[in-house]
Protein backbone atom coordinates (compact mmCIF):
# COMPACT_ATOMS: atom_id res chain seq x y z
CA UNK A 1 0.00 0.00 0.00
CA UNK A 2 1.33 3.42 -0.93
CA UNK A 3 -0.27 6.44 0.70
CA UNK A 4 0.39 10.16 0.52
CA UNK A 5 -1.24 12.76 2.74
CA UNK A 6 -1.23 16.55 2.93
CA UNK A 7 -2.39 18.73 5.82
CA UNK A 8 -2.49 22.48 6.48
CA UNK A 9 -2.89 23.35 2.80
CA UNK A 10 -0.02 21.08 1.81
CA UNK A 11 2.49 22.50 4.31
CA UNK A 12 2.78 19.16 6.14
CA UNK A 13 3.20 16.19 3.84
CA UNK A 14 3.43 12.53 4.69
CA UNK A 15 4.32 9.46 2.65
CA UNK A 16 3.77 5.88 3.76
CA UNK A 17 4.55 2.44 2.39
CA UNK A 18 2.88 -0.51 4.12
CA UNK A 19 3.09 -4.25 3.78
CA UNK A 20 0.38 -6.52 5.18
CA UNK A 21 -0.12 -10.22 5.70
CA UNK A 22 -3.19 -12.01 7.07
CA UNK A 23 -4.49 -15.51 7.60
CA UNK A 24 -8.11 -16.64 7.91
CA UNK A 25 -9.06 -19.98 9.38
CA UNK A 26 -12.48 -21.58 8.89
CA UNK A 27 -13.24 -23.10 12.29
CA UNK A 28 -16.39 -24.75 10.92
CA UNK A 29 -19.20 -23.98 8.49
CA UNK A 30 -20.23 -20.80 10.33
CA UNK A 31 -17.16 -19.50 12.18
CA UNK A 32 -14.06 -17.81 10.82
CA UNK A 33 -11.16 -16.28 12.72
CA UNK A 34 -8.46 -14.17 11.17
CA UNK A 35 -5.25 -12.51 12.23
CA UNK A 36 -3.26 -9.87 10.40
CA UNK A 37 -0.02 -7.94 10.71
CA UNK A 38 1.18 -4.77 9.02
CA UNK A 39 4.43 -2.86 8.99
CA UNK A 40 4.61 0.72 7.77
CA UNK A 41 7.54 2.91 6.83
CA UNK A 42 6.71 6.61 6.90
CA UNK A 43 8.29 9.98 6.28
CA UNK A 44 6.92 13.43 7.10
CA UNK A 45 8.24 16.71 5.90
CA UNK A 46 7.32 20.37 5.97
CA UNK A 47 7.23 22.50 2.84
CA UNK A 48 9.53 25.29 4.04
CA UNK A 49 9.22 27.14 0.75
CA UNK A 50 5.72 28.31 1.70
CA UNK A 51 6.31 29.07 5.38
CA UNK A 52 7.41 32.37 6.89
CA UNK A 53 9.23 32.44 10.22
CA UNK A 54 9.71 35.23 12.75
CA UNK A 55 13.42 35.60 12.05
CA UNK A 56 12.58 36.52 8.43
CA UNK A 57 10.90 39.71 9.63
CA UNK A 58 12.83 42.92 9.10
CA UNK A 59 12.24 46.65 8.95
CA UNK A 60 10.51 46.30 5.57
CA UNK A 61 8.26 43.42 6.64
CA UNK A 62 8.79 39.74 5.92
CA UNK A 63 11.62 38.83 3.56
CA UNK A 64 10.95 35.29 2.35
CA UNK A 65 14.36 35.20 0.63
CA UNK A 66 16.13 35.52 3.99
CA UNK A 67 17.27 32.18 5.42
CA UNK A 68 14.91 31.07 8.17
CA UNK A 69 17.40 29.02 10.17
CA UNK A 70 14.73 26.36 10.71
CA UNK A 71 16.81 23.51 9.30
CA UNK A 72 15.52 20.99 11.86
CA UNK A 73 12.23 20.98 9.97
CA UNK A 74 13.91 19.11 7.14
CA UNK A 75 15.36 16.39 9.33
CA UNK A 76 12.44 14.30 10.55
CA UNK A 77 13.68 10.74 10.53
CA UNK A 78 11.95 7.89 8.76
CA UNK A 79 9.68 6.06 11.19
CA UNK A 80 8.46 2.48 11.38
CA UNK A 81 5.08 1.45 12.72
CA UNK A 82 3.88 -2.06 13.59
CA UNK A 83 0.17 -2.92 13.57
CA UNK A 84 -1.85 -6.09 14.19
CA UNK A 85 -5.43 -7.24 14.42
CA UNK A 86 -7.72 -10.18 15.14
CA UNK A 87 -11.11 -10.71 13.48
CA UNK A 88 -13.97 -13.12 14.25
CA UNK A 89 -16.95 -13.79 11.98
CA UNK A 90 -20.09 -15.86 12.49
CA UNK A 91 -22.30 -16.33 9.44
CA UNK A 92 -25.51 -18.20 8.69
CA UNK A 93 -27.81 -17.98 5.70
CA UNK A 94 -29.59 -14.86 7.00
CA UNK A 95 -27.27 -13.43 9.68
CA UNK A 96 -23.69 -12.29 9.96
CA UNK A 97 -21.84 -11.09 13.06
CA UNK A 98 -18.30 -9.67 12.96
CA UNK A 99 -16.07 -8.34 15.69
CA UNK A 100 -12.44 -7.56 16.09
CA UNK A 101 -9.65 -5.63 17.67
CA UNK A 102 -6.82 -3.77 15.96
CA UNK A 103 -3.65 -2.33 17.48
CA UNK A 104 -1.77 0.47 15.72
CA UNK A 105 1.65 1.97 16.55
CA UNK A 106 2.51 -1.05 18.70
CA UNK A 107 6.16 -0.01 18.74
CA UNK A 108 5.37 3.65 19.67
CA UNK A 109 7.30 5.15 16.73
CA UNK A 110 9.05 8.49 17.14
CA UNK A 111 7.35 11.16 15.01
CA UNK A 112 9.20 14.34 15.92
CA UNK A 113 10.93 16.87 13.71
CA UNK A 114 13.17 17.76 16.63
CA UNK A 115 14.17 14.17 17.45
CA UNK A 116 12.50 14.54 20.82
CA UNK A 117 12.27 11.01 22.22
CA UNK A 118 9.17 11.95 24.21
CA UNK A 119 7.32 12.73 20.95
CA UNK A 120 6.11 9.24 20.15
CA UNK A 121 2.90 7.99 18.57
CA UNK A 122 0.70 6.42 21.23
CA UNK A 123 -0.70 2.93 20.95
CA UNK A 124 -4.09 3.08 19.23
CA UNK A 125 -6.62 0.36 20.02
CA UNK A 126 -9.77 -0.09 17.95
CA UNK A 127 -12.67 -2.41 18.78
CA UNK A 128 -15.39 -2.91 16.19
CA UNK A 129 -18.51 -4.98 15.71
CA UNK A 130 -21.14 -5.39 13.00
CA UNK A 131 -24.37 -7.36 12.74
CA UNK A 132 -26.39 -7.90 9.59
CA UNK A 133 -29.68 -9.72 9.28
CA UNK A 134 -32.16 -10.40 6.50
CA UNK A 135 -34.58 -12.69 8.29
CA UNK A 136 -37.75 -10.63 8.05
CA UNK A 137 -39.98 -10.50 5.00
CA UNK A 138 -38.00 -8.27 2.57
CA UNK A 139 -36.46 -6.33 5.49
CA UNK A 140 -32.73 -6.04 6.02
CA UNK A 141 -30.91 -4.72 9.08
CA UNK A 142 -27.30 -3.67 9.51
CA UNK A 143 -25.85 -2.28 12.73
CA UNK A 144 -22.27 -1.45 13.61
CA UNK A 145 -20.17 0.16 16.26
CA UNK A 146 -16.59 1.23 16.79
CA UNK A 147 -14.65 2.24 19.88
CA UNK A 148 -11.20 3.80 19.51
CA UNK A 149 -8.69 4.56 22.27
CA UNK A 150 -5.45 6.48 21.78
CA UNK A 151 -3.63 8.14 24.67
CA UNK A 152 -6.26 10.28 26.44
CA UNK A 153 -8.61 10.42 23.47
CA UNK A 154 -11.56 8.08 23.04
CA UNK A 155 -13.98 7.84 20.14
CA UNK A 156 -17.24 5.90 20.03
CA UNK A 157 -19.71 5.61 17.19
CA UNK A 158 -22.74 3.42 16.67
CA UNK A 159 -25.13 3.30 13.78
CA UNK A 160 -27.47 1.19 11.78
CA UNK A 161 -29.78 1.01 8.82
CA UNK A 162 -32.98 -0.79 7.93
CA UNK A 163 -33.49 -1.72 4.32
CA UNK A 164 -36.50 -2.72 2.28
CA UNK A 165 -35.63 -5.15 -0.50
CA UNK A 166 -37.69 -4.10 -3.53
CA UNK A 167 -35.79 -6.26 -6.03
CA UNK A 168 -37.55 -7.70 -9.02
CA UNK A 169 -35.68 -10.53 -10.69
CA UNK A 170 -32.15 -9.50 -11.56
CA UNK A 171 -32.87 -5.80 -10.98
CA UNK A 172 -31.64 -5.38 -7.37
CA UNK A 173 -33.19 -2.42 -5.56
CA UNK A 174 -32.93 -1.79 -1.81
CA UNK A 175 -34.21 1.29 0.00
CA UNK A 176 -32.18 2.03 3.16
CA UNK A 177 -33.07 4.31 6.08
CA UNK A 178 -30.83 4.83 9.09
CA UNK A 179 -28.10 6.73 10.78
Amino acid sequence: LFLGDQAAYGLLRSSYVSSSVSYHLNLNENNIIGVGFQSTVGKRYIDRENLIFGNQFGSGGFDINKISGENQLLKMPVFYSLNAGVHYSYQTTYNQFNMGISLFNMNNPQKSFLRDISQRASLETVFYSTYESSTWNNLLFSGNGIFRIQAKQNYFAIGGVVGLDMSKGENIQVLYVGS
Side-chain angles (χ1 to χ4, degrees):
L1 171 71
F2 298 95
L3 177 67
D5 185 32
Q6 295 184 13
Y9 304 101
L11 296 176
L12 175 63
R13 297 175 185 213
S14 304
S15 300
Y16 306 93
V17 177
S18 297
S19 178
S20 304
V21 63
S22 66
Y23 181 76
H24 293 84
L25 176 65
N26 291 329
L27 300 175
N28 58 37
E29 183 179 300
N30 302 94
N31 296 280
I32 299 171
I33 191 163
V35 63
F37 299 94
Q38 181 183 62
S39 65
T40 299
V41 177
K43 176 84 172 144
R44 289 184 175 169
Y45 55 97
I46 290 184
D47 181 7
R48 289 187 334 161
E49 300 287 323
N50 294 310
L51 288 176
I52 299 171
F53 297 92
N55 56 357
Q56 292 175 305
F57 187 77
S59 60
F62 282 101
D63 180 2
I64 60 172
N65 296 316
K66 185 177 178 184
I67 296 173
S68 69
E70 301 291 338
N71 294 329
Q72 284 299 112
L73 296 178
L74 294 177
K75 297 181 181 179
M76 182 172 180
V78 172
F79 62 89
Y80 306 93
S81 180
L82 300 175
N83 314 304
V86 177
H87 171 81
Y88 169 77
S89 179
Y90 174 80
Q91 186 172 357
T92 64
T93 304
Y94 299 106
N95 299 290
Q96 182 172 352
F97 173 74
N98 297 290
M99 63 184 257
I101 181 172
S102 299
L103 302 172
F104 300 93
N105 300 317
M106 293 171 35
N107 58 327
N108 300 106
Q110 182 179 344
K111 293 186 177 182
S112 170
F113 285 102
L114 304 176
R115 299 187 190 271
D116 181 353
I117 61 171
S118 66
Q119 297 272 328
R120 295 193 170 271
S122 300
L123 176 68
E124 179 179 351
T125 306
V126 178
F127 301 93
Y128 67 91
S129 179
T130 65
Y131 176 73
E132 297 178 0
S133 177
S134 59
T135 58
W136 302 291
N137 194 13
N138 289 347
L139 286 178
L140 309 170
F141 170 76
S142 177
N144 38 84
I146 186 170
F147 181 60
R148 177 186 165 274
I149 305 166
Q150 186 174 23
K152 296 179 181 179
Q153 298 177 357
N154 296 332
Y155 171 81
F156 177 73
I158 189 168
V161 296
V162 175
L164 176 61
D165 187 353
M166 302 183 300
S167 301
K168 295 179 180 130
E170 292 182 19
N171 187 11
I172 297 175
Q173 298 176 344
V174 181
L175 173 66
Y176 285 104
V177 177
S179 61

